[in-house]
Every structure is written in structure tokens, then in C-alpha cells.
Amino acid sequence: MRASSDNLLAWAATHSPDRRTAVGVLALRVRHYFSDGAEPAPSSLPDLRVRVRGQAELPLWHASSGLYGFLRLPPGEARVEIDDPSGRYLPQAISAVVPDRRALRDALEAAAAAAAIAGPPPAYPQVALRPAPGFGLSPATCALWGVLREGSRAVPGALLSIATVRDGGPDTVSTLTGRDGSYLIVLPGEVINRGVTPPQRRFDRALTVRTPRPALAAALASQGFLAALPADVFSLGAADRDALFAPRNFQLRDAAGLLHPQQAGQNPPASVSVGQSVRLDIELLP
């Protein structure tokens, strides 16, 4: 009679954390995103909803290793969907290849101790989640937030990126508009320029907006935001990205209602202030 997954984990739990994750096939590490050029936060994010499309198995959260582990996924390519029930982080989906480790699992379930079975290691994909408008910023955080609209309609699932700085060099922060068209861009690398008098704390940064093309927009509306979201959306190559998202012209409107229009056919820069969270609504142009 085969042992259950609980028994398998009970055996693994008597050994090291590495042994416990080794009995699985896919172990996902989810961390907090800072920027395209910076490493994600070192600690993993707990309390997330992690699913593999088409599979009923739910992952086990392993607190000491910070991994969401799956034991019985079939081998092959899988779409992993990550969502935050608390609304702190934007949903995201990634593609992962699940190795075939059935021989090892069968050997472990048939015996009380591990057998020396050759086979591929588990898959250890990583994903960095972007903060959502509901994240809850600490005071003095440099950030932009607002809503992306086309006319009176909010636009969900748009790709936003802004040129910023990190450690004195160029960097980029990227995000998506959420289900309601709202966005949050946190800029942790912006610092006061004390090399001028008075010190400069306000900077104009180039903002890029790409909205879903009609097929993707229809899927987001009909299938649901996470279900239709492209996998690995932030690491798409230029051709794949451009097939799904169209670059758009826009104007900005600040919290006081003041319009920042295009100048000489160029989109307006986004004005960011060190230590302040600034509202800038994005209004798409035809």
C-alpha cells in the first residue's frame, strides 16, 4: 500500500529542510520586487495563493526555506499563477518546467527510507511580485500612483515602466495596472541631490505606457485578470511584448487637476519627489 503525501512529508520532515523540499517536483520562491536592476528582497512572501493551472494540488508552504512546494505535479510545462488575497501585491503568472521525478517519489513512498534513485532535481523558479495600490506605503516613500484611463474607461493590464536611478546609475521600475486600472510605482533608488543649492528633491522621469492589444484586452475582460495575464509578462522579448501590448501616447493629470499635456509631440515626463507619494493619473490619447 502506498504512503500518502502526508507520510512522505513526515519522513522528509525528520531530515533537513533541503531533504523536505527535495521530495517535491517544483518549489517556488516569491519575493518583493524593487526594480529591474536590483535583486528582490531576500525574504520570501508568505500567505499567497499559488496555483498551477489545470491541477488540483495545492502547494505546501515551507516557512524555514521560504518555498511553496508541490509534490505531485505531472512532468512538463506548467503555468503557475500567484495572487495575494490581502491585495498587497499584483497577481502574476510564470511558466515553469516540471521535471519527471516519479521514480524517486515511487521509491520513497514504497519504503521508509530514501533509495538512491538517479533523476533530475526539483525545479526552483523564482518570481518577484510588484506592490499593488493596496500595499500600504510607509511615510516618506517616493512613489507615483493613480489610474490609467482611456476616456472614461479604466484600462487594466497595461505595462508601465519609468526611468529611474539606483546607486547613481540608470535603472527602470516596471509594473502593471491592476484590475481597476489603478497603478503604483515605488521608486526606492531616488535620493536628494545635495550637490546643488538648494538641494534638489524633485526630478522629471520618462514614463512609458503600453496597453493590451484587442485580443488580450478581450481575454482580460472575459477570462479574468490573472487567468488571461501573459506568463512571464515582465521578461517578454520585444517581439512577444509588442504582439500583446501597444505603445501609447498620453497626458498626465496631477492631484490638483492640472493637466500636463504633450509638448512638441512628446509624452510629458512624470515628476517624482523624493520622500513623497505623488498622484498622477494617466489619460491615453487617440
Side-chain angles (χ1 to χ4, degrees):
M1 180 176 179
R2 286 186 179 274
S4 68
S5 296
D6 288 342
N7 290 337
L8 178 58
L9 281 176
W11 171 84
T14 64
H15 297 71
S16 68
D18 287 344
R19 181 69 60 81
R20 185 172 181 182
T21 58
V23 302
V25 294
L26 185 145
L28 179 69
R29 186 181 305 280
V30 187
R31 298 188 288 170
H32 176 98
Y33 167 89
F34 290 116
S35 73
D36 290 3
E39 282 293 313
S43 58
S44 300
L45 299 175
D47 304 322
L48 301 176
R49 184 185 297 118
V50 180
R51 302 288 187 274
V52 172
R53 176 175 288 183
Q55 302 298 321
E57 182 184 359
L58 301 180
L60 295 147
W61 165 249
H62 189 210
S64 63
S65 64
L67 296 172
Y68 293 86
F70 291 87
L71 294 172
R72 298 183 176 280
L73 296 177
E77 189 168 344
R79 175 185 167 94
V80 186
E81 298 178 341
I82 307 104
D83 198 6
D84 179 12
S86 73
R88 300 167 301 165
Y89 292 92
L90 290 173
Q92 204 167 320
I94 64 167
S95 294
V97 177
V98 179
D100 189 348
R101 309 192 77 219
R102 287 172 292 188
L104 173 62
R105 188 186 70 200
D106 290 347
L108 289 170
E109 290 182 336
I117 302 295
Y124 289 96
Q126 300 193 36
V127 61
L129 294 190
R130 272 70 174 169
F135 179 74
L137 298 176
S138 60
T141 298
C142 182
L144 295 175
W145 63 280
V147 179
L148 173 64
R149 293 188 178 91
E150 186 161 28
S152 60
R153 181 180 65 88
V155 181
L159 274 174
L160 307 180
S161 62
I162 189 168
T164 184
V165 294
R166 180 175 65 92
D167 298 330
D171 200 0
T172 301
V173 171
S174 56
T175 192
L176 287 168
T177 56
R179 295 177 175 90
D180 59 356
S182 63
Y183 77 91
L184 171 65
I185 297 175
V186 181
L187 301 163
E190 297 287 348
V191 295
I192 297 172
N193 178 8
R194 301 188 185 278
V196 297
T197 304
Q200 182 184 5
R201 61 185 312 130
R202 188 170 182 175
F203 304 91
D204 287 343
R205 302 300 188 199
L207 177 67
T208 301
V209 177
R210 293 181 173 90
T211 58
R213 293 189 184 275
L216 177 56
L220 290 166
S222 62
Q223 298 175 23
F225 187 85
L226 179 54
L229 195 65
D232 307 306
V233 66
F234 295 108
S235 57
L236 293 172
D240 290 334
R241 182 199 64 205
D242 293 345
L244 294 169
F245 298 91
R248 297 294 301 271
N249 291 324
F250 59 86
Q251 58 190 14
L252 300 172
R253 193 175 298 275
D254 63 27
L258 181 63
L259 183 66
H260 301 256
Q262 285 190 319
Q263 297 291 335
Q266 299 297 310
N267 290 325
S271 181
V272 304
S273 296
V274 178
Q276 295 183 23
S277 177
V278 176
R279 176 164 189 168
L280 278 179
D281 291 333
I282 306 169
E283 300 176 357
L284 297 175
L285 298 174

